[in-house]
Amino acid sequence: MVMDEKVEPFYNEVIRHNPGEVEFHQAVREVLESLGPVLVKYPEFAEHKIIERLCEPERQIIFRVPWQDDKGEVHIRRGFRVEFNSALGPYKGGLRFHPSVYLGTVKFLGFEQVFKNGLTGMPIGGGKGGSDFDPKGRSDDEIMRFCQSFMTELYRHLGEYTDVPAGDIGVGTREVGYLFGQYKRITNRYESGVLTGKGLEWGGALVRNEATGYGTVFFADEMLRARGDSLDGKTVVVSGSGNVAIYAIEKAQEMGATVVGCSDSSGYVYDPDGICFDTIREIKEVERGRIVDYAARRPNAVFRERGKGDATIWSIPCDVALPCATQNELTGRDAATLMKNGCTVVAEGANMPTTPEGVRAFVDAPGVAFGPGKAANAGGVATSALEMQQNASRDSWSFKHTEQRLQEIMADIHHTCYETAAEFGSEGNYVVGANIAGFLRVGRAMVALGLV
Ligand code: NDP
């Protein structure tokens, strides 16, 4: 998309003010490209400098995380928490532990989170955090020591009414447990609502673990239903094999689709019989193994190592693609391959997994529906807000009830994106619909709260 001349100066200022943070620039650009018509219709946003304020995080925290490995060797990693926007509620968003994490990653994720949380209609602001710590190959004790050191610094910035982190890449229930334990120890408070994604025995909520993957599939199904179709009988490819991917695979198959491919950072597997949910979950969640192990256990599955040859997971023919691994994993070339092979629906389970060229190719293609992450994967954070509700009322809801709430929330988000896109002259463009609807909710709250 071409950026409207009214918003271009804001984008140029973001680049000047945040040098080198390329993912953050990309996320800002993608939102600003949608906002030209909003500034024309609602001049008060320009008057209150809402865009400039939205692009500047309210607070950015960077800290040292010293920890010791099992041999006694000392390591120093960097911790981050970007508290981006609290107009709608406490900062809310996950923590990512991955060696690629730097300030630009956390800012892009935090920026996306602000709009996503706005779209859910729930009372949550946006934030994100993490570390360049690499959990791969580390023992349980090492993970625990790292989490304890990380929380020893971060705890002072958190609170159920202030900032509520959750998991993301490299941070699952195990890590949330160690983080919560250390928070409880330091503060002497059993403040369940300070972290979400907790285990069921200690304040967690049913469906939170499954929510992002399930929600992405519900969103894809809504996109198909808007065109008189459904997921039933469709062939699906899901990238990744972590939390989001595994439960996307489960729900897609429950809804009658066949998932024929998934991946990790070492390569991908193609299984014409349909990915076996129990096998992939056992390998990834219990054994913490690699995707090649899956191919070894299934008669017709094949493994393709990453970087060997031109093929990527997106070369597998499918009707529906669900990128659920990481940012910029689906390129313009991948988009062309997918569409050539008949793919007509893409729903992003990961955050910003499609490059700008890929997004453009999908959005411009007639008959192709593209659901951006801030809408399609919002089920995770929405269910985190449901976990906070249960913590606040000391209640716990059944799986069925919570899943039904999640499905309703995803249908509402879909409806909001669809209607907003149509209102602003971009019918069927979920990117425009999600960006504008998220912006309107946060922007209106910011105007109402004054210059803070
Ligand atoms: P996990 O750590 O559970 O899984 C991540 C998966 O992506 C793994 O299979 C991993 O492979 C793969 N992956 C990670 N980095 C790369 C890379 N650089 N190249 C190729 N593959 C990679 O994370 P989640 O499933 O929680 O998160 C996945 C995505 O979903 C992220 O974009 C996250 O921000 C987003 N998301 C997550 C939510 C949640 O509730 N968990 C909520 C909303 C969005 P390997 O193991 O080999 O590294």
Side-chain angles (χ1 to χ4, degrees), residues 66-106:
W67 68 284
Q68 248 177 329
D69 67 21
D70 287 343
K71 296 191 201 100
E73 195 180 328
V74 171
H75 301 263
I76 312 294
R77 290 289 88 198
R78 189 170 280 180
F80 302 91
R81 185 72 183 165
V82 174
E83 299 181 333
F84 225 108
N85 193 296
S86 60
L88 296 175
Y91 309 106
K92 182 88 201 81
L95 299 171
R96 174 176 294 189
F97 291 169
H98 193 273
S100 64
V101 167
Y102 75 113
L103 187 59
T105 324
V106 183

Side-chain angles (χ1 to χ4, degrees), residues 96 98 116 136 168-170 208 212 240-244 263-265 290 306 324-326 349-351 377:
R96 174 176 294 189
H98 193 273
K116 181 190 307 191
K136 241 182 236 132
D168 190 80
I169 290 179
R208 175 60 192 95
T212 309
S241 49
N243 172 264
V244 179
S263 63
D264 67 15
S265 58
R290 308 302 296 154
R306 188 177 179 189
C324 295
T326 194
N351 284 313
N377 72 36

